[in-house]
């Protein structure tokens, strides 16, 4: 694979995680626990889908096969999606949603910190803007993890259950992916070792304040979002999201 | 509009001679177009009417997110998805500042929301209609937000200061939504295939009459209008606003290349307005009474959101209390 293709692959990973997170946030519309949260969730979702578009636009240029950002979002199969497994998990209750966002944000923020200094100007541009948004996302989700962890008995139980359920997927935030490691060497991508270290430190700090027990580090297992090996949830999510462009393949909207 | 059939609790408007000195001073202020502010004296009926109207308006913003939310996960492009998310986010924001305006009158947001969930107060009838294809999202932006704007532009001059200022802010955002809604339909008509064009006409057929109903009953059947007009809570009658909306909408309909489901709709040279056919008021009252196509689902969704979120709000409160305690100790 050429570096050009590797880079496109990396951009799809960034875009897919942002898009799928945003899509899950759309499912909350009208169902959030308070009106202020409706506003905040929609705001985060808007940021992320906007970022996804930025990554897809660039990926489409690099791929140069006639597909545009919309085609990448709406016409790819589930096996071609490269998002982290954590973001495709169903929303569950507010504890699950909060923790999914937090684990993602704690990975996203250091990733963007590095990408905003990428040797590729285009990447640095998208990441620079996204970084400001991701700082707020991380702050917000950390605060909610702390509130729920150190709130009532019920909220503590619910967020602890969420940790049990989601922890296995955090392997993807700390493992060292060879493609990313290679791209990082040339200053194009975020260094996975730095991101892993940051992720662990940030999660440990917030968990302590939230009075949550930090599990043993997650271990690799059969599934791998970066390789397109997803949980069954992604296919359902895409079926809904991609319905119109697939039902009317040549239509303009 | 977003507020329909708002009861003033007043059977007959008092003349200045019949008023107490306080009432007279208040009415003279209103007549002179001086804004009423939260700390000013106001008749109890005025205060209660405003709470009813503003809360109804706020509830409508929030319930109005649901028919759009039905297509949010299925928006057909990144651009359309982002636009719709931004619109829904604005609506949640409108809900928030309308509730704040309402609270300046001494009402409590949670109590008013409880009344909504108990079915004791209303929200706009329009949001009880289902969204059945993507063009419905365009039709809502164009017709529903369009109708809302006609009403809200008038309400910018309403007599209560906080409500008037909320309207000024909301109108700016709504006109943006309306243009985006129209753009969805125009794109489907100009660049779309036959199936897409059929979706647009179908959406207009379903949303046309309910949009006209948004303005409420004819003036002759609107017993509360006189008092609301005298207090300048309302600045124009239902029929005036409906006609204004229709006159501006029909040329846009023609520009789209679509038709209205009204065989009587035609330009009247003499009056300089469009004539239109009879509105099915039986349908309007049925929807208002809770028997519209989606009343049950809309309220159920809102009730569940608040009930399912109770433990989350309790956790936030408990955590804030713990934090405050720690800070006092330190």
């Amino acid at each position: 694979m050429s570096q050009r293709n590797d880079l496109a692959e990396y951009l799809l990973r960034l875009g897919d995680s942002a898009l799928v997170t945003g899509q899950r946030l759309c499912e909350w519309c009208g169902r959030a626990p308070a009106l202020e949260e409706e506003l905040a969730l929609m705001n985060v979702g808007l940021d992320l889908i906007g970022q996804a578009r930025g990554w897809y636009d660039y990926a489409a240029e690099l791929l140069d096969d006639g597909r545009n950002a919309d085609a990448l979002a709406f016409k790819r199969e589930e096996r071609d999606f490269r998002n982290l497994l954590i973001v495709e998990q169903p929303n569950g209750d507010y504890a699950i949603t909060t923790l999914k966002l937090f684990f993602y944000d704690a990975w996203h923020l250091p990733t963007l910190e590095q990408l905003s200094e990428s040797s590729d100007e285009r990447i640095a541009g998208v990441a620079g803007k996204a970084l400001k948004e991701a700082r707020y996302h991380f702050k917000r989700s950390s605060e909610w993890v702390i509130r729920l962890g150190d709130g009532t008995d019920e909220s503590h139980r619910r967020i602890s259950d969420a940790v049990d359920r989601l922890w296995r997927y955090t392997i993807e935030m700390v493992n060292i992916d060879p493609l990313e490691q290679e791209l990082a060497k040339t200053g194009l991508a975020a260094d996975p070792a730095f991101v892993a270290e940051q992720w662990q430190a940030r999660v440990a700090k917030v968990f302590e304040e939230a009075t949550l027990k930090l599990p043993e580090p997650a271990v690799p297992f059969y599934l791998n979002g970066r390789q397109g090996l997803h949980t069954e949830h992604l296919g359902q999510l895409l079926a809904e999201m991609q319905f119109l462009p697939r039902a009317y393949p040549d239509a303009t909207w | 509009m977003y507020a329909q059939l708002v009861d003033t609790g007043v059977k007959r408007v008092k003349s200045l001679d019949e008023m107490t000195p306080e009432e007279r001073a208040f009415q003279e202020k209103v007549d002179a177009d001086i804004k009423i502010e939260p700390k000013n004296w106001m008749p109890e009926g005025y205060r209660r009417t405003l709470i009813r109207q503003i809360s109804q308006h706020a509830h409508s913003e929030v319930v109005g997110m649901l028919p759009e939310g039905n297509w949010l996960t299925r928006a057909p492009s990144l651009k359309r998805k982002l636009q719709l998310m931004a619109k829904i986010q604005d609506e949640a924001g409108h809900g928030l500042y309308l509730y704040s305006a309402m609270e300046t009158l001494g009402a409590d947001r949670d109590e008013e929301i409880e009344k909504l969930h108990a079915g004791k107060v209303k929200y706009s009838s329009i949001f009880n209609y289902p969204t059945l294809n993507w063009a419905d999202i365009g039709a809502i932006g164009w017709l529903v937000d369009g109708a809302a704007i006609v009403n809200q532009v008038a309400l910018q001059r309403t007599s209560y200061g906080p409500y008037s200022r909320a309207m000024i802010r909301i109108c700016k955002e709504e006109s943006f939504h309306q243009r985006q809604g129209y753009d969805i339909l125009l794109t489907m008509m100009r660049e779309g295939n036959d199936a897409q064009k059929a979706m647009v006409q179908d959406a207009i057929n379903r949303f046309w009459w309910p949009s006209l109903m948004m303005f409420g009953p004819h003036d002759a059947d609107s017993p509360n209008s006189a008092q609301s007009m005298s207090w300048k809570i309302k600045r124009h009658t239902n029929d005036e606003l409906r006609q204004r909306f229709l006159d501006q909408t029909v040329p846009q309909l023609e520009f789209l290349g679509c038709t209205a489901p009204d065989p009587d709709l035609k330009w009247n040279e003499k009056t300089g307005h469009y004539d239109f056919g009879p509105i099915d008021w039986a349908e309007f009252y049925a929807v208002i009474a809770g028997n519209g196509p989606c009343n049950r689902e809309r309220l159920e969704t809102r009730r569940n959101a608040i009930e399912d979120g109770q433990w989350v709000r309790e956790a936030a409160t408990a955590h804030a209390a713990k934090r405050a305690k720690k800070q006092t100790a330190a």
Side-chain angles (χ1 to χ4, degrees), chain B residues 96-114:
Chain B
L96 273 181
Y97 43 86
L98 284 164
Y99 283 125
S100 304
M102 181 199 75
E103 290 192 318
T104 63
L105 292 154
D108 178 75
R109 170 172 141 190
D110 293 343
E111 278 174 24
E112 295 304 316
I113 290 174
E114 254 173 52

Side-chain angles (χ1 to χ4, degrees), chain A residues 10 20 24 26 45 49 51 54 71 82 89-90 102 119 123 131 140 202 204 222 239 251:
Chain A
Y10 182 62
V20 172
R24 283 290 187 217
C26 288
I49 295 183
Q51 293 173 19
R82 298 287 179 250
Q89 299 312 303
F102 171 67
S119 56
I123 291 180
L131 180 58
R140 182 186 168 277
R202 286 171 188 274
Y222 181 88

Side-chain angles (χ1 to χ4, degrees), chain B residues 141-253:
Chain B
W142 172 46
L143 294 174
V144 176
D145 285 69
I149 292 166
V150 166
N151 187 58
Q152 288 165 0
V153 163
L155 281 174
Q156 290 179 354
R157 290 170 52 241
T158 193
S159 58
Y160 187 57
Y163 193 29
S164 153
R165 290 189 286 274
M167 283 301 116
I168 291 169
R169 205 169 145 190
I170 287 175
C171 277
K172 281 186 197 146
E173 293 178 352
E174 300 271 30
S175 44
F176 192 61
H177 299 162
Q178 196 200 10
R179 278 202 298 277
Q180 283 179 345
Y182 194 68
D183 182 62
I184 287 176
L185 301 181
L186 199 59
T187 304
M188 288 172 80
M189 290 305 293
R190 294 243 163 124
E191 298 169 50
N193 54 37
D194 290 348
Q196 289 173 290
K197 288 176 189 167
M199 285 180 204
V200 174
Q201 186 60 57
D202 175 47
I204 293 171
N205 289 348
R206 284 180 288 105
F207 277 94
W208 184 262
W209 288 112
S211 300
L212 291 180
M213 291 176 199
M214 284 174 70
F215 296 90
H218 286 308
D219 297 347
D221 303 315
S222 184
N224 297 299
S225 281
Q227 181 63 73
S228 274
M229 297 274 289
S230 152
W231 279 333
K232 293 192 182 174
I233 292 175
K234 261 175 119 159
R235 302 301 309 247
H236 300 276
T237 70
N238 296 351
D239 285 331
E240 283 168 6
L241 293 171
R242 185 169 14 246
Q243 189 66 54
R244 187 177 297 178
F245 168 68
L246 196 76
D247 288 346
Q248 76 179 35
T249 301
V250 175
Q252 294 167 0
L253 175 76

